[in-house]
Amino acid sequence: MTAPIPVGALAPDFVLRDQNNQEVGLAALRAQGPVLLVFFPLAFTGTCEGELGYLRDNLPQFEAAGLSIVGLSVGPPPTHKVWSSAQGFLFPILADFWPHGGVAAEYGVFDAERGIPNRGTFVVDADGTVVFSAMVGPGEARTEETWAAALAALTPDS
């Protein structure tokens, strides 16, 4: 298993298409404040739905902290459109489709053997620095503690 980029690293910039086939770039998101990047293996899977559903259900908590949430996976925008509409995900779901898993690889969370990203979680501050970095491997799910730690990374005295 690869290692995610560490806290203190400069976050690789990217521009990918969201579920509405619109370009979304990290630099533009950072201009509005810190960003929570949530890499997930595949749409239409129970664990991924549960994790992104947690974010959907707790969106006000993340927005209150000034975070923009972005999901990233290797599926194409039309697949993400159907899935995000069915699940009520109001945040961008980005297609790291081509080059396949290229952004996930830059963040150190791409599983080349399986062709999908591991569950990488990053908080990137407005300056582009990674202030939170975590990853769990195949078959593991992020816990509420992961989300709490990501939020706490924005508080200087945490």
Side-chain angles (χ1 to χ4, degrees), residues 84-111:
S84 63
S85 294
Q87 296 300 316
F89 300 145
L90 301 178
F91 43 85
I93 306 293
L94 304 183
D96 191 10
F97 186 71
W98 194 257
H100 188 77
V103 174
E106 287 188 74
Y107 278 80
V109 298
F110 189 66
D111 182 336

Side-chain angles (χ1 to χ4, degrees), residues 11 26 30 33-37 67 107 122-126 128-131:
L26 181 59
R30 286 191 303 102
V35 181
L36 176 64
L37 301 176
L67 271 172
Y107 278 80
F122 302 91
V123 175
V124 179
D125 71 12
T129 303
V130 174
V131 297

